[in-house]
Amino acid sequence: MEKRGLLIVISGFSGVGKGTVAKRLVKDYGYSLSVSATTRAPREGEVDGVDYYFKSEADFKNLIDYNGFIEYARYVDNYYGTPRMFVENELAAGRNVILEIEVQGALNIKRQYPDAVLIFIAAPTVTALKDRLIGRGTEKEAVVAKRMKRASEEAKEMENYEYIVINDELDVCVQNVHAIVISKRCELHQNLNFISETQEGFAQL
Amino acid sequence: MEKRGLLIVISGFSGVGKGTVAKRLVKDYGYSLSVSATTRAPREGEVDGVDYYFKSEADFKNLIDYNGFIEYARYVDNYYGTPRMFVENELAAGRNVILEIEVQGALNIKRQYPDAVLIFIAAPTVTALKDRLIGRGTEKEAVVAKRMKRASEEAKEMENYEYIVINDELDVCVQNVHAIVISKRCELHQNLNFISETQEGFAQL
């Protein structure tokens, strides 16, 4: 019997590299990456269906009405949402699905999917995070300050997550997230059917 | 700061290969294997300090009096116990320690070490377990029947464990146990100090 996939919700500091972690989980371990829908305009280089599904506000609201999102939120003037059908289909097919999302969405998803795993990707130190943001070179000082401010807010939410994974070395971080997923598969409550079958197997000897 | 090691308690069906799993965790991942003490006589080929610490009953009882065991039990006419000092020293040095022990000992240890991880190693099917026992070739039919009887009793205790790991392919089984240990390290409550440090780091910016 193919087991249902696991829903992995990844949040983390702006600039911590969680997008890269998610891509590596897709590449190395065959996870499915959920692509969000949004009403905001595509930025330069963004591809529809890869970075986001770009929707008109009318289409987005229509999807809301038809229960098409497992969660959605409005930020400033734009909607962002996680399309339900992709997530459901992938989980049913036994594939692990990654969502990259912020804390309110993560908690919202946990209420609907109690088996979802909430993982926060952290930088090893605050200094390391700042260095990483500055190191990109493309960001002006004001932008770095703004992102550090946001990370500082995000840090207040860390206790809402079930797992904290430090992204010091990317390979280790990716392996650790995968290890969490493997361990969830081995948890007692995921194996109650197997235990029943085993106990019945002995009874029939 | 070196983190304290994790205590991993492994139980599993007689004949399932849990001893081999434990040895591989030592070899592949540097875990420390706890060696039990016993008052029973060494069997042919058994080495003191490797298979067991062989003790006189007087010495064993003396160790009990001096709180030298984290758990001990008497089976038939012999005592078996887990020496405290080795486990404590290894954990303090940040090394993961494996104990191979049966269910009552496992539950006993969990009461004293709430962070201990209780893992049950199962065979993929009851038939596979029986084939494995027969496959050893050295066992007479009556011995196989006796061990299957014992495994059948052990199966009733599986719900007492936190994780069930199936030993179908040894490599996968070993990796899965290690994944559980990694995931424990990433659990929220293991990272509360890190979270405080991070939050303070932001506050000091």
Side-chain angles (χ1 to χ4, degrees), chain A residues 155 162-164 183 186 188 199, chain B residues 155 162-164 183 186 188 199:
Chain A
E162 297 163 313
Y163 295 93
I164 308 292
S183 81
C186 297
L188 179 67
Q199 289 168 343
Chain B
E162 298 162 312
Y163 295 94
I164 308 292
S183 80
C186 297
L188 178 66
Q199 289 168 344

Side-chain angles (χ1 to χ4, degrees), chain A residues 125-136:
Chain A
T125 63
V126 171
T127 315
L129 182 67
K130 194 169 181 183
D131 289 348
R132 215 174 288 187
L133 285 172
I134 293 170
R136 289 183 173 183

